[in-house]
Amino acid sequence: MPQSINLLTFGLMTEHPLSLFKYCPRCGSVHFEVHNGKSKACRDCGFVYYFNPSSATVALIQNDREELLVCRRGKDPAKGTLDLPGGFIDMYETGEEGVAREVKEETGLMVTRTEYLFSLPNLYLYSGFLVHTLDMFFRCRVEDTLHYTAMDDAAEVFFLPLRDIRPEEFGLESIRKGLGMFLEMNK
């Protein structure tokens, strides 16, 4: 686990997420036990479950005035703080398809081109469950940077000059770190 992630931020103990899974998802047996640091195995049916991160996307959308599209989170975690458009990738989607869908859902903007930049591990508290994610950051081009609206998880959407972006004002740790990396790339 990266040292920068602090489970106490979430009010959680450092208990392994697999400890929440008590029964085998295949046969329902109570003999579902730790197999190694990333999996549990069922003594009765032999099923092995690996706990892997969920894939998520982050969109970095700039206009021609050196501004970046940011959102204000409308829901927890970190409700009310700044964020970037993005979210979980659905099954059978590529990262590029997922980021385009999330941008459309949250802003109404149509992504025309994506460029993968980097990824960062993250912890995301959802419905009281700590989800390990791998956040993939994409530079996105959109059809139109003038007509957008806050929808879905976004309470507000606006462009912010790059020079005015303060990563510490963003509520999620991977977004703060990713913004810092992005700003360094754009100096």
Side-chain angles (χ1 to χ4, degrees), residues 32-136:
F32 193 51
E33 300 164 353
V34 173
H35 180 247
N36 61 34
K38 353 178 235 194
S39 67
K40 286 186 100 169
C42 179
R43 279 195 330 219
D44 293 335
C45 74
F47 177 74
V48 177
Y49 175 76
Y50 284 88
F51 188 80
N52 295 313
S54 295
S55 298
T57 63
V58 180
L60 296 151
I61 302 169
Q62 290 179 262
N63 62 19
D64 57 3
R65 294 185 301 274
E66 295 294 313
E67 296 173 322
L68 186 68
L69 187 70
V70 300
C71 302
R72 188 163 309 280
R73 294 185 60 82
K75 297 179 181 176
D76 279 324
K79 182 179 178 177
T81 63
L82 295 181
D83 199 2
L84 295 172
F88 288 101
I89 296 175
D90 289 343
M91 290 189 299
Y92 310 109
E93 269 185 334
T94 65
E96 292 82 0
E97 291 166 341
V99 74
R101 178 187 47 76
E102 285 288 344
V103 167
K104 175 87 170 142
E105 288 175 3
E106 294 179 359
T107 69
L109 294 170
M110 295 291 295
V111 172
T112 58
R113 189 164 41 113
T114 60
E115 175 192 358
Y116 173 78
L117 298 178
F118 53 84
S119 63
L120 292 169
N122 191 26
L123 294 173
Y124 187 84
L125 189 61
Y126 182 78
S127 296
F129 182 77
L130 194 59
V131 179
H132 290 248
T133 67
L134 180 61
D135 296 350
M136 294 179 278

